[in-house]
Amino acid sequence: MSKSITFLINKSEITAGTRGASLGPDAIITAARKKGSYVFGENTLEKIQNVNGYLDKPTNFPFAKRIDGLLSIYEELTSKVGALIKSDAFPIILAADHGSAGGTISGIKAAFPDKRIGAIWIDAHADIHTPYTTPSGNMHGMPLASVMNLDNIECKVNQVDAETVQYWEKLKNVGGISQKINAEDIVYIAVRDTEPQEESIIQKLGISWYTVADVRSRGTEQIINEVNQKLSSCDLVYLTFDVDSMDPDMTSHGTGTPVPDGISPQEAKDFMIAFTANPKTACVEIVEVNPCLDEKENTMAEVTLDILEAITEVAKNK
């Protein structure tokens, strides 16, 4: 039976350190029109609120920049993603930056609070900082910590004010459940740009981590099999793809924080197709396309579209 696909567009870029990712979803849609692809016209398209007005005034939270705006994004995503999954639709979220990923996971957990959720995190970055450890205050580096109920006080480097702490606690508790996902149910692929505070908590928690070197030496097929086996005890799987997981020399620098020596577009496509095909995968998120930084016109969006079209077909036939 064909599954209903809903593209959920999130243009808010308030958690990144660079500007322009708000144009990422439209850049992908533009690439589709240029190609003559009808992927967006043939499937449901919905949008969530745009809170980029927070960028037009100073933030009061230097160690959790614009966390007040992010809280509203988390709440809306929790409601919309939860409703879509409960209705047996398959959401594909196209988000400006990665900071909202915690809201997506909160939505899955809200829909099925008793289910065990796994996460496949394909990214150059670990995104497991907290306000206590962040070097930048940019919240696209914190979504995973927010749904794991982590503070990582052991690696604390920031003196966080009481109001920020209150917002952080609210963010972690969106949906009424503080810990949405456990460390043993998370897998990193292509992460290669981390800080010592992140490395410490990853090692402490024993989070699985496949490097780019692992991908090259072992191949995508073996890693796919291992990841699916590791997450076989989970009831539902969330798949997230940050385009900076790919090598910018093979794509472009059209993303906020490009990192050299990533996976290839074909490796990314292989991973995304296979993990989307996993019957337990309930939701996919694609983030961080930034056409303002693309030195090759709209190449990053075009590469992303190719992956998006492929996983949409797979998801339809789940």
Side-chain angles (χ1 to χ4, degrees):
M1 183 176 178
S2 182
K3 205 166 186 71
S4 172
I5 307 297
T6 295
F7 292 111
L8 192 55
I9 307 297
N10 174 16
K11 294 185 180 181
S12 295
E13 58 172 270
I14 61 171
T15 72
T18 57
R19 304 281 69 85
S22 61
L23 304 174
D26 281 337
I28 300 170
I29 292 171
T30 297
R33 291 169 178 163
K34 177 182 176 182
K35 184 180 179 180
S37 168
Y38 302 115
V39 65
F40 292 105
E42 292 171 348
N43 297 286
T44 303
L45 192 70
E46 295 185 12
K47 298 179 181 180
I48 70 164
Q49 63 177 321
N50 185 331
V51 300
N52 286 327
Y54 279 86
L55 296 167
D56 301 325
K57 54 188 177 182
T59 179
N60 296 321
F61 311 102
F63 302 120
K65 295 175 182 175
R66 294 169 285 276
I67 191 172
D68 44 353
L70 183 59
L71 179 60
S72 67
I73 293 291
Y74 265 46
E75 290 170 341
E76 184 173 1
L77 279 170
T78 298
S79 174
K80 287 203 170 182
V81 171
L84 286 168
I85 290 176
K86 285 186 78 171
S87 69
D88 203 34
F90 190 90
I92 300 178
I93 294 92
L94 300 181
D97 56 48
H98 220 166
S100 60
T104 304
I105 294 173
S106 297
I108 301 171
K109 191 67 173 177
F112 298 103
D114 298 324
K115 301 293 187 182
R116 182 174 169 182
I117 299 172
I120 303 171
W121 208 271
I122 306 175
D123 196 336
H125 306 90
D127 295 345
I128 201 168
H129 271 298
T130 76
Y132 303 98
T133 67
T134 176
S136 68
N138 295 326
M139 296 212 67
H140 67 169
M142 306 185 204
L144 198 46
S146 76
V147 292
M148 296 175 71
N149 195 29
L150 292 179
D151 294 326
N152 197 9
I153 296 296
E154 297 89 343
C155 297
K156 179 179 176 180
V157 295
N158 302 320
Q159 294 297 323
V160 182
D161 64 276
E163 190 177 9
T164 299
V165 172
Q166 289 176 351
Y167 268 109
W168 178 242
E169 292 302 316
K170 288 179 181 178
L171 201 69
K172 290 191 297 180
N173 284 281
V174 165
I177 301 172
S178 57
Q179 185 158 351
K180 284 91 172 174
I181 192 166
N182 299 316
E184 61 266 30
D185 297 327
I186 298 166
V187 178
Y188 284 133
I189 296 176
V191 170
R192 58 195 183 280
D193 185 14
T194 54
E195 281 79 40
Q197 298 91 342
E198 291 182 298
E199 293 160 9
S200 176
I201 194 70
I202 291 168
Q203 183 176 17
K204 176 184 176 181
L205 296 174
I207 297 175
S208 295
W209 188 346
Y210 291 94
T211 66
V212 176
D214 292 330
V215 175
R216 297 287 151 71
S217 65
R218 301 166 69 178
T220 57
E221 184 175 356
Q222 181 177 340
I223 291 174
I224 288 162
N225 290 337
E226 289 180 8
V227 171
N228 284 338
Q229 179 59 39
K230 177 175 177 56
L231 300 181
S232 61
S233 297
C234 295
D235 301 298
L236 299 166
V237 172
Y238 163 74
L239 171 61
T240 186
F241 174 62
D242 187 323
V243 298
D244 68 21
S245 61
M246 296 184 290
D247 193 315
D249 289 340
M250 298 184 193
T251 52
S252 76
H253 288 76
T255 186
T257 47
V259 182
D261 302 321
I263 58 177
S264 71
Q266 186 59 54
E267 289 164 337
K269 188 175 180 178
D270 290 346
F271 281 132
M272 292 295 288
I273 289 173
F275 292 136
T276 300
N278 183 334
K280 294 184 178 183
T281 298
C283 177
V284 175
E285 188 151 13
I286 298 175
V287 304
E288 299 278 3
V289 172
N290 190 331
C292 292
L293 302 175
D294 199 323
E295 80 281 18
K296 300 177 184 176
E297 295 184 349
N298 205 29
T299 294
M300 186 64 84
E302 292 170 353
V303 170
T304 304
L305 172 66
D306 181 58
I307 295 170
L308 177 69
E309 287 180 303
I311 67 168
T312 300
E313 284 305 307
V314 170
K316 276 185 176 180
N317 297 306
K318 283 168 69 72

